[in-house]
Amino acid sequence: MNPTLTALIADDEEAPREQLRAALARLWPELAIVAASTNGVEAWDDCLAHEPAIAFLDIRMPGLTGLDVARRLSALATPPLIVFVTAYDDHALAAFDAGAIDYVLKPVDDERLAQALARLRARVAQPMPDVTALQRLLASLPQARPAARPIQASVGREVQLIQPEDVLFFEADQRYTRVVHQGGDALIRTPLRELLTQLDPDQFWQIHRSVLVNSRCIAKAIRVDEGTMVVTLRGREERLPVSRQFQALFKGQ
């Protein structure tokens, strides 16, 4: 018996989100919707939590756009198949239609969605979907870089300003995020998912649901056993865990 295929829907507007959910229920009732995310940051977090086989991403969302989320997902060990959902028939859609990824326009039309779902079914049948074309396409599209802003941490009556380039890593728990930097460490209330929208993803890599690390400070990645990996930092003793999803970041050359 084949396992149930799972999917995530992400759209910051409730009406189109629910319209897509209803259309999927009609056209592919066996597809299990595991999350309906209300913005890009939530979509990224939900993808890590549920590991859906398919992600339907609205392109224009606050925090992280659908393109931002897709870039992050394409670097995972087992990325989902991506379908973009957009109200804007812009120039990028011509490239999407080339087969690297798919898209549907809002409001969702059943006939066009059925075509996208047929492509998805065909790709699901492939043993290893190729994400290289998706990565090339996303790399070719303009990407807004977040402006580097200092991290503000309260220390007694003072507010300490920590420059992002001085941060070694962020480590989150249920209440706080620990900022380990060149001058020591501090606790902030900003959750890791919000920090993702403020930091350059090329410099700060998420390697675990609770860890963001400055890639410029990584000394090496160590495979402990088949499923376990840790990274070490230059001049530090910490061994930071790397989730299975993020181990593809360390492929070697």
Side-chain angles (χ1 to χ4, degrees):
M1 184 175 179
N2 293 329
T4 301
L5 277 177
T6 58
L8 170 143
I9 297 170
D11 197 310
D12 60 316
E13 297 181 83
E14 182 178 3
R17 192 170 61 242
E18 293 309 312
Q19 183 199 15
L20 178 57
R21 189 203 291 267
L24 290 172
R26 288 193 305 272
L27 299 175
W28 197 349
E30 303 83 11
L31 187 66
I33 307 302
V34 293
S37 312
T38 60
N39 56 58
V41 175
E42 190 175 297
W44 169 244
D45 210 39
D46 287 341
C47 280
L48 294 183
H50 299 286
E51 299 188 40
I54 302 165
F56 296 88
L57 304 176
D58 183 23
I59 288 183
R60 300 195 180 188
M61 292 187 289
L64 296 175
T65 69
L67 296 174
D68 293 332
V69 177
R71 287 185 180 96
R72 293 176 182 276
L73 291 174
S74 68
L76 296 181
T78 53
L81 297 171
I82 303 292
V83 176
F84 285 121
V85 184
T86 178
Y88 304 93
D89 190 5
D90 58 30
H91 66 280
L93 297 186
F96 299 162
D97 210 21
I101 47 182
D102 213 336
Y103 75 94
V104 291
L105 290 173
K106 294 192 286 187
V108 173
D109 173 76
D110 275 11
E111 183 177 352
R112 178 65 184 89
L113 180 60
Q115 293 174 4
L117 297 183
R119 292 183 185 179
L120 284 171
R121 288 187 175 97
R123 294 192 192 183
V124 166
Q126 297 174 3
M128 284 293 290
D130 180 18
V131 298
T132 306
L134 170 60
Q135 291 170 335
R136 284 199 301 265
L137 173 59
L138 292 171
S140 71
L141 298 175
Q143 182 177 6
R145 295 291 181 185
R149 293 183 294 172
I151 308 299
Q152 299 190 25
S154 297
V155 182
R157 295 185 177 183
E158 299 178 353
V159 175
Q160 183 180 10
L161 299 184
I162 306 166
Q163 297 302 320
E165 59 267 24
D166 293 332
V167 175
L168 304 176
F169 64 92
F170 299 90
E171 186 175 35
D173 62 20
Q174 292 182 346
R175 295 186 60 191
Y176 297 99
T177 300
R178 181 180 173 223
V179 186
V180 179
H181 55 96
Q182 300 288 358
D185 64 326
L187 295 177
I188 59 176
R189 293 186 180 273
T190 307
L192 213 62
R193 57 192 292 175
E194 188 175 326
L195 287 170
L196 286 171
T197 69
Q198 303 172 11
L199 299 167
D200 183 348
D202 288 340
Q203 180 176 356
F204 287 91
W205 295 358
Q206 185 162 12
I207 59 171
H208 189 277
R209 285 197 73 191
S210 62
V211 179
L212 270 177
V213 64
N214 187 339
S215 62
R216 297 171 186 172
C217 300
I218 295 175
K220 55 188 173 182
I222 304 169
R223 186 170 294 282
V224 179
D225 54 40
E226 185 61 30
T228 308
M229 178 182 285
V230 296
V231 297
T232 62
L233 306 180
R234 294 193 299 272
R236 305 280 299 193
E237 296 182 356
E238 292 96 336
R239 292 161 66 93
L240 304 177
V242 182
S243 295
R244 172 187 52 79
Q245 297 161 301
F246 296 105
Q247 290 180 10
L249 289 168
F250 305 96
K251 299 176 183 176
Q253 299 296 321

